[in-house]
């Protein structure tokens, strides 16, 4: 039995703020951040957008690409910015896309890899015959404390993937994961912004997990980087995925279509999934795609995917990731602060 | 808004579910259970609107009520859905962008909330349809 993706959709809010604009407010050296992080601007949600609205727009784009909402038997939404502490985002998505009540749903949390964990859960639920198709979503409206380094990259966006046994636009050949207990990044209940272990987050966090899961995948599949047309790695900034790709032996060209972070920032649970959606937007039948996510805490999920002939039928049916990125509207820091609720209005 | 009322209205708010009279072909949004044209001869069925239409008239609000203070200015418009009925909704764009006759399409947004601790209300708004 083959499992795969039968439809996908992404969404990126329209507003952008440039790294220069944030640096100006905090007296930082903008070039330092732009070069250090390889990010020039990031997406900002509108005042009336949150993780639920972004998840719904991504899910509706998957439906435009042929997913039948009546056949969805499971919806899982991965995010670290669910709008409610208790009350699932997944049920809001289900109602907004007209999925039947005869289905299972839940919200997931695992820092930035909650969305790919949702993909794996859908694979299990569909393989077991519990659901005919399952929808996995990764979406976030990420927050960085004002003045913190995370503020330069914390962005908004998401993507949805429909997992099924047939009608594939891409077959998932294999998935595997690498997980440890690592305190590289956290946010306590009730705290507005996350805390992180500073420089500690790179080596024992991101690189250890991304490289371990990726090497495990290459070993399981008996493949080498040159067997893949494209690769997508979790992108908390532009630099980490570029370095991970290089270490593993992937080229700049292989990661280029999915490397969205430099122009839209880090969408956390959405980051590797938006990257995969952007890659599917331009992929050709037969292309093989390598994907590894990362979530602090910490773990990585790796996927080996082969694009099928049907991809060309769906690519143009909904807005593509890079078209969303190009449709940008720039705002200044004051407007950005208002959008993110960093200014308190007493009412 | 009360929780039960919002809950009842979810299909209409999220997905523009209205009704249609199969006897005379008139579409209704918000949904009507009785066709005023056909009365007893009418046959009302559920209808999901496509979510596309055009701006009939609009007004840009610069002095909103307190809970909207952060979003001013915003544009409220009467939108004629392609199936016929008119509805009032926010159109998300710059005040200078909106025009009478402009094509719009639906999006899913927050439409309000019962304070910081209450329910968040989601629903349909419109954006310019560039296609
Ligand atoms: Zn009638």
């Amino acid at each position: 039995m083959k499992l795969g993706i039968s439809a996908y959709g992404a969404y990126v809010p329209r507003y952008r703020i440039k790294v220069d604009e944030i640096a100006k407010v905090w007296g930082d050296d903008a070039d330092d951040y732009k070069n250090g992080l390889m990010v020039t601007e990031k997406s900002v949600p509108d005042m009336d957008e949150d993780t639920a609205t972004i998840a719904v727009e991504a899910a509706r784009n998957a439906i435009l690409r042929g997913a039948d909402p009546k056949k969805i038997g499971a919806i899982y939404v991965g995010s670290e910015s669910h709008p409610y502490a208790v009350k699932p985002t997944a049920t809001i998505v289900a109602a907004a896309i007209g999925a039947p009540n005869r289905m299972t749903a839940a919200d997931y949390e695992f820092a930035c890899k909650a969305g790919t964990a949702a993909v794996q859960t859908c694979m299990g639920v569909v393989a077991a015959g519990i659901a005919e198709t399952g929808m996995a979503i990764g979406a976030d409206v990420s927050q960085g404390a004002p003045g913190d380094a995370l503020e330069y990259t914390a962005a908004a966006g998401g993507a949805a993937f429909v997992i099924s046994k047939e009608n594939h636009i891409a077959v998932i050949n294999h998935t595997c994961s690498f997980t440890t207990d690592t305190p590289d990044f956290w946010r306590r209940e009730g705290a507005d912004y996350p805390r992180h272990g500073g420089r500690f987050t790179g080596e024992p966090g991101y690189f250890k997990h991304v490289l371990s899961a990726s090497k495990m995948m290459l070993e399981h599949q008996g493949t080498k980087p040159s067997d893949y047309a494209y690769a997508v790695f979790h992108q908390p900034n532009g630099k980490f995925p570029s370095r991970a790709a290089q270490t593993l032996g992937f080229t700049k060209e292989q990661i280029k279509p999915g490397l969205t972070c430099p122009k839209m920032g880090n969408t956390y649970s959405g980051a590797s999934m938006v990257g995969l959606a952007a890659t599917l937007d331009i992929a050709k039948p037969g292309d093989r795609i390598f994907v590894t996510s990362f979530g602090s805490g910490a773990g990585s999920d790796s996927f080996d995917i082969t694009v099928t002939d049907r991809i060309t039928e769906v690519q143009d049916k909904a807005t593509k990731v890079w078209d969303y990125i190009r449709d940008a509207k720039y705002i200044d820091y004051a407007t950005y602060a208002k959008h993110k609720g960093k200014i308190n209005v007493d009412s | 808004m009360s929780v039960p009322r919002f809950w009842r209205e979810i299909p209409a708010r999220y997905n523009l579910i209205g009704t249609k009279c199969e006897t005379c072909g008139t579409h209704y949004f918000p949904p009507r259970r009785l066709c005023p044209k056909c009365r007893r001869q009418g046959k009302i069925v559920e209808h999901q609107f496509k979510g596309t239409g055009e701006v009939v008239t609009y007004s840009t609000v610069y002095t909103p009520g307190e809970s909207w203070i952060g979003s001013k200015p915003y544009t409220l418009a009467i939108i004629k859905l392609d199936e016929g009925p008119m509805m009032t909704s926010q159109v998300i764009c710059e005040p200078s962008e909106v025009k009478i006759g402009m094509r719009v399409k639906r999006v899913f947004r927050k439409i309000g909330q019962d304070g910081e601790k209450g329910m968040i209300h989601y629903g349909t708004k419109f954006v310019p349809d560039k296609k």
Side-chain angles (χ1 to χ4, degrees), chain B residues 16-47:
Chain B
L16 299 176
I17 307 279
T19 53
K20 173 185 162 185
C21 172
E22 289 200 318
T23 311
C24 67
T26 310
H27 291 81
Y28 295 103
F29 190 86
R32 272 182 184 266
R33 300 282 156 225
L34 182 78
C35 178
K37 295 182 189 167
C38 308
R39 306 255 161 206
R40 278 182 197 177
Q41 275 70 50
K43 187 171 179 283
I44 291 281
V45 294
E46 209 175 75
H47 177 81

Side-chain angles (χ1 to χ4, degrees), chain A residues 11 14-15 46-50 52-53 56-57 60 83-84 92 95-98 327 329 338 345 347, chain B residues 10 14-15 66-67 69-72 90 92-94 97 106-110 118-120 122 125 130:
Chain A
Y11 178 77
R14 211 182 153 199
Y15 292 101
D46 205 344
M47 313 268 301
D48 54 4
E49 290 185 299
D50 65 11
T53 66
V56 167
E57 291 294 335
R60 284 181 174 172
Y84 288 97
I92 298 168
I97 62 170
D327 184 28
K329 207 166 155 174
K338 193 173 84 170
V345 179
S347 59
Chain B
I10 277 180
Y14 283 19
N15 284 314
E66 266 182 27
S67 55
I69 206 88
S71 25
K72 75 180 177 187
Q90 189 183 334
I92 301 158
C93 63
E94 290 301 309
E97 223 178 310
R106 70 161 183 175
V107 288
F108 191 77
R109 296 287 177 114
K110 282 197 281 192
M119 236 188 106
I120 304 166
Y122 294 98
K125 290 183 184 177
K130 287 164 197 160

